[in-house]
Amino acid sequence: LFLLERSEKKGLGTAYMAGFRYALDKRYDYIFEMDADFSHNPIDLISLRNACRNDGVDLAIGSRYIKGVNVVNWPMGRVLMSYIASVYVRLITGLPIADATAGFKCYKRSVLETIQLDKVKFVGYAFQIEMKFRAWKHGFKLKEVPIIFINRSKGTSKMSTEIFKEAFLGVIQMKFSSLFTQYEKAS
């Protein structure tokens, strides 16, 4: 187990980027992303890896919404906001994912190498959407794997008006920008 400590907070996306770069430098084949507040069950890492390893998937997404709503102990307002955000993302971008804001994923290294991490713009929750969108636009195979999401037992939510605004407006900006972007197709 390795722990990367940063001297200052710069947003969720930048923390993940630091971890991704570390994993790429170490030449790991599968790179996982998950919350550290016990809302994701580590046992589900096996299902995500198996989707990438055995099913020909490039990005496996632990989905709260692929088989109904599988969320435990979240306030109804938070469930609705998350679910509606995913519907909004699908409508604006065409991204064929039921849980666009999911933060529990397994990437094959080729996805992170192709995406060009330096070009990822968002640092808040919109980061989760942008990473899936970029992988999809590059032609990688995405698959949602059903999970049960349990409200955190440690820590507090970082959701704020600024983060919400970044995600809401960012989705429109991301879609518009994609109309003028050439995406290298996955091999």
Side-chain angles (χ1 to χ4, degrees):
L1 179 65
F2 299 95
L3 176 64
L4 300 178
E5 287 190 71
R6 300 183 315 149
S7 59
E8 58 185 323
K9 289 187 171 201
K10 295 181 181 178
L12 176 76
T14 59
Y16 277 124
M17 292 299 201
F20 293 158
R21 286 186 177 95
Y22 178 87
L24 290 171
D25 287 345
K26 295 292 183 183
R27 310 283 311 150
Y28 296 145
D29 292 328
Y30 304 103
I31 295 119
F32 296 89
E33 174 185 326
M34 68 186 288
D35 292 348
D37 60 8
F38 302 104
S39 54
H40 297 135
N41 188 340
I43 208 89
D44 290 327
L45 291 167
I46 296 165
S47 298
L48 294 176
R49 187 203 54 175
N50 286 342
C52 287
R53 188 171 164 190
N54 304 330
D55 300 343
V57 173
D58 301 302
L59 171 56
I61 301 158
S63 178
R64 300 165 287 189
Y65 307 126
I66 193 67
K67 291 195 173 184
V69 176
N70 291 310
V71 177
V72 177
N73 292 334
W74 242 11
M76 185 52 73
R78 187 75 191 263
V79 173
L80 285 172
M81 182 173 63
S82 172
Y83 185 81
I84 290 169
S86 287
V87 170
Y88 169 73
V89 169
R90 279 195 314 273
L91 286 172
I92 300 297
T93 66
L95 180 66
I97 298 295
D99 195 352
T101 62
F104 192 26
K105 300 183 280 247
C106 176
Y107 295 90
K108 280 187 177 173
R109 74 173 292 107
S110 59
V111 176
L112 296 178
E113 289 171 333
T114 302
I115 281 178
Q116 296 178 315
L117 297 177
D118 293 334
K119 292 188 178 182
V120 174
K121 295 173 50 176
F122 299 114
V123 297
Y125 287 107
F127 165 82
Q128 304 291 11
I129 299 164
E130 184 178 7
M131 291 296 288
K132 290 176 198 74
F133 183 75
R134 285 178 174 274
W136 177 61
K137 292 300 278 185
H138 280 288
F140 286 105
K141 185 176 180 186
L142 283 58
K143 178 181 180 181
E144 290 181 275
V145 176
I147 62 158
I148 295 175
F149 179 90
I150 300 171
N151 194 25
R152 70 178 44 94
S153 61
K154 304 286 182 199
T156 57
S157 174
K158 312 297 184 288
M159 182 58 76
S160 68
T161 304
E162 279 303 307
I163 289 170
F164 179 81
K165 191 167 65 173
E166 177 196 54
F168 183 81
L169 297 174
V171 168
I172 295 168
Q173 183 183 25
M174 191 174 58
K175 173 62 178 178
F176 182 75
S177 176
S178 76
L179 299 173
F180 306 98
T181 302
Q182 289 284 92
Y183 293 91
E184 173 188 333
K185 288 303 174 187
S187 51

